[in-house]
Amino acid sequence: MDDYRITWTQEGREERQVSCVKYSEGAAKDYAGYKQAEVGVSDVRIEPVKE
């Protein structure tokens, strides 16, 4: 099973933010949707975790 993380741009911050949690593909899609809905969040991406 592959693991994924979520990254996003947060208004007022210079660096991309990265989730601390690894997700399955389905869960990553769900959480990316929740994150995208937050105020000040943009450019949400689902990226594979490379170990």
Side-chain angles (χ1 to χ4, degrees):
M1 179 168 105
D2 294 329
D3 292 320
Y4 297 87
R5 65 181 176 187
I6 300 168
T7 66
W8 65 93
T9 301
Q10 181 74 43
E11 185 177 315
R13 296 195 175 207
E14 292 183 24
E15 296 180 14
R16 285 189 68 74
Q17 305 301 294
V18 179
S19 63
C20 296
V21 180
K22 294 189 289 187
Y23 301 99
S24 67
E25 184 176 7
K29 289 178 182 178
D30 288 342
Y31 283 103
Y34 301 144
K35 182 56 73 177
Q36 185 66 48
E38 292 182 19
V39 175
V41 172
S42 61
D43 193 25
V44 177
R45 299 178 190 169
I46 298 172
E47 301 177 354
V49 174
K50 298 174 186 169
E51 307 234 11

